[in-house]
Structures are given as C-alpha cells and as structure tokens.
Amino acid sequence: MNTASTFKAFRVEEHDDNYTSSIQDMPFSEVSEGELLIKVAYSSLNYKDALSASGNKGVTRNYPHTPGIDAVGTVVTSKSSKFKVSDEVIVTSYDLGMNTDGGFAAFVKVPADWAVALPKNLSMREAMTIGTAGLTAGMSVLRLTETVKPEDGSIVVSGATGGVGSLTIGILRKLGYKITAITGKETEVTFLKNLGADEVILRDEFENIVHKPLLKPLYAGGIDTVGGVILENIIKSTLPMGVITSCGNVSSPKLDLTVFPFILRGVSLIGIDSQNYPMIYREKAWEKLANEWKTDQLTNAATEIHLDELSEKMELMLNGKLKGRTIIKMDF
Ligand SMILES: NC(=O)c1ccc[n+]([C@@H]2O[C@H](COP(=O)([O-])OP(=O)(O)OC[C@H]3O[C@@H](n4cnc5c(N)ncnc54)[C@H](OP(=O)(O)O)[C@@H]3O)[C@@H](O)[C@H]2O)c1
C-alpha cells in the first residue's frame, strides 16, 4: 500500500517561450473508475519525449507537464476489472506523456485500457529497453515482412543507431534479412555491424538531392525513421514490388517525389502509427517482442539513467547524437 502523499516527477514548465525542467514532488490525485495507479519501475526515452520537454506544442499543448510516453510497473490501485493490485503492466503511447502526465515519474495514473500485461518472458527492464521504439520497430517489421521475404534482397534502415533503427536491425537480423544501415555517425560502423547490419552507408552519401524520379533499384524494402530526402531516395531505389515503412521525421516531414516508384515499380509506402495501434495488435506485437523476436541485443543494450540525467540525454537526442536506447530507473 502506498502511504506517501507526494511522489517524484520530472516536470517541464513554460516561462514565456522558454521551457525549464526540474524534479518536483507531486501530489497524488484521485483514481477514477476504469483507471489504474501504477508504481513505475522503469520508463524509457523516446524522440517524442525530447519534443515534449522542449515545448513542441504538436506533442504537448499545456505546461507544466510530465513527459514520458513509456512506463512499466506494478498496479497499486485498480478501479478496473482488467487488472488487479500487484499486476505488472506496460503502458506505451495513447496519450501518456503527451497531454496526460507521463512515465518520467514514480507513479502514473492511466485508463486501464492503455495497459498491457507484462509478457511472461520479459522483465520490466527488458520491456522498457524495447518500449515505444521497439513496438514501432516491431510494427514496421510486421508490415514489411507480410510482403518482402529474406530472399528478395536487402532491407535499408535509416536512423540506424537510433532507438527505432537499432531495434529494427536486431529484429530483421533475427528473421534472417540482409540489412543495409544508413547512419550519420561515422564512428558507429562497428556498432551497427555488431547489431547485424551487413552494409553501412554514411548519411551524407545517401542524402544527395537527385532530381530524377527513379534511381537504380537496389533494396527489397526499407524501414525509414527520418523522412525527407533520405526517404525519397529509399523510395526511388526500391526494387519492383518492394515495401517501405515510414514512422518518423527526424530529418524532415516533407517528401518531394513523383508517383513513378509506385506506378512503374509497384512500390508500396506504409505509414506506421504506434500511438493509435489497436490493443489486440499491440498485445500480439508484445508477445513477439518477448519471444520469437527477443535477442540479447534487443533487451540488454540500453543505457540506464536516473531522472536527474534526463535533460542531458534529451539534448543529445534532439541533436541526433544519442545512440541506442536509454531507460530511466525509478528508484524512489
Ligand atoms: N510513428 C510512430 O508511431 C513512431 C513511434 C516511435 C518513434 N517515431 C519517430 O521515429 C523517429 C525516430 O525515433 P527514435 O526514438 O528512434 O529517435 P532517436 O533514438 O533519436 O533516433 C533517431 C536517429 O535518426 C538519425 N538522425 C538524427 N538526426 C538526423 C537528421 N537530421 N537527418 C537524418 N537522420 C537523423 C540518428 O541516427 P544516425 O546517426 O544513425 O543516422 C538518430 O539517432 C522520430 O521521428 C520519432 O518521433 C514514430
């Protein structure tokens, strides 16, 4: 039973156009019908959190606010028949950390419908190493592998050292695909090869603006996390009947393309939206992540930090300098 009257949270405040963060003591609020109060064991850092903490109103409209789109922990109060006290649950996306106070705190209060039971074969630490980034990687791989098979050719992965990119490489490797990684980090070629990339291309080489509707077809498919010219060039370089998924816009939200890759090569572009992923598919994806897709790399390769180290990591993330996954241990 929880007897404290306050809990620690990483709060972001707005002062005119400036956003500052600090660890504060927050009061508990009443748990309503259908909701859970969860004692958070771990959260994880995703790109959206860095946007929320830096005042991106497309992610978070009102401040003060607690970011953190991921949390795993133990139910301490349940006003739902779905979960009982002591159940271990994962909450990712929906509105957590966007306009609902999120996982960068010792406790979160959420609708029970947002929670997934922690799969048997996954520890809480492993679940957050995966987090929304891993779920997004898993969703992207599911959509691509419906059509593209390992024998069809290489899959190109952009933003390769990032959270989504690095977990995607781990899953594709486990499934036997040949992988071409695109990275901006010259120093991380060996890291990417150890993850499972067969070939690494530096971002500068791939980001050339080419005013041709089609390029030499090289890849059976692509998992893009950055958008912009890189996604344009992936689409133009995809083999006939290839599939590309798009989940992110770290580079740019814009695409300047013709329809020719689609109508002359039968290429498909599939959008990935983990936030609104229906619960039935979400549960299935977590089962796969906990079992057939699970690798040491997938679950052990996170950097563990505490709440007071978050600001520094988010700064690195916004500058494209963070590598792999970062998880936050809540040891209050
Ligand atoms: N749609 C969804 O459901 C969903 C879910 C999760 C995440 N996302 C989005 O997916 C993207 C990646 O998320 P993440 O958590 O993997 O972020 P992340 O860990 O920060 O990784 C992003 C990676 O992109 C590369 N990058 C950085 N700046 C770049 C630039 N200017 N141009 C090209 N590449 C750049 C870097 O990798 P390299 O140095 O290796 O190139 C960086 O590590 C974000 O836009 C995020 O919002 C979407």
Side-chain angles (χ1 to χ4, degrees), residues 95-106:
D95 193 45
L96 188 70
M98 293 183 68
N99 293 292
T100 299
D101 280 339
F104 294 170

Side-chain angles (χ1 to χ4, degrees), residues 136 161-164 183-185 203 225-226 247 249-251 272 274:
T136 307
T161 67
V164 179
T183 183
K185 300 184 184 80
R203 192 192 298 157
T225 70
V226 302
C247 76
N249 60 352
V250 176
S251 170
I272 300 294
S274 62

Side-chain angles (χ1 to χ4, degrees), residues 45-48 51 69 132-133 136 139 158-166 182-185 188 192 203 207 224-227 230 246-252 272-275 316-325:
L45 180 58
N46 291 279
Y47 198 78
K48 229 181 214 175
L51 294 177
I69 64 169
T132 289
T136 307
M139 289 168 61
S158 63
T161 67
V164 179
S166 60
I182 300 173
T183 183
K185 300 184 184 80
E188 300 304 338
L192 289 167
R203 192 192 298 157
E207 214 173 7
D224 178 71
T225 70
V226 302
I230 290 179
S246 158
C247 76
N249 60 352
V250 176
S251 170
S252 167
I272 300 294
D273 173 17
S274 62
Q275 193 189 350
L316 287 173
M317 185 169 237
L318 287 173
N319 288 314
K321 297 213 159 67
L322 205 61
K323 180 177 91 176
R325 292 282 291 148

Side-chain angles (χ1 to χ4, degrees), residues 193-208:
K193 291 211 162 161
N194 287 341
L195 278 186
D198 299 278
E199 180 193 18
V200 179
I201 301 178
L202 294 179
R203 192 192 298 157
D204 286 351
E205 293 167 26
F206 202 87
E207 214 173 7
N208 293 334

Side-chain angles (χ1 to χ4, degrees), residues 192-250:
L192 289 167
K193 291 211 162 161
N194 287 341
L195 278 186
D198 299 278
E199 180 193 18
V200 179
I201 301 178
L202 294 179
R203 192 192 298 157
D204 286 351
E205 293 167 26
F206 202 87
E207 214 173 7
N208 293 334
I209 299 172
V210 188
H211 297 286
K212 284 184 186 170
L214 292 166
L215 295 169
K216 186 175 174 191
L218 294 172
Y219 309 108
I223 293 190
D224 178 71
T225 70
V226 302
V229 175
I230 290 179
L231 177 54
E232 289 166 18
N233 287 347
I234 292 176
I235 293 169
K236 292 180 190 177
S237 309
T238 297
L239 287 156
M241 302 309 286
V243 173
I244 302 115
T245 64
S246 158
C247 76
N249 60 352
V250 176

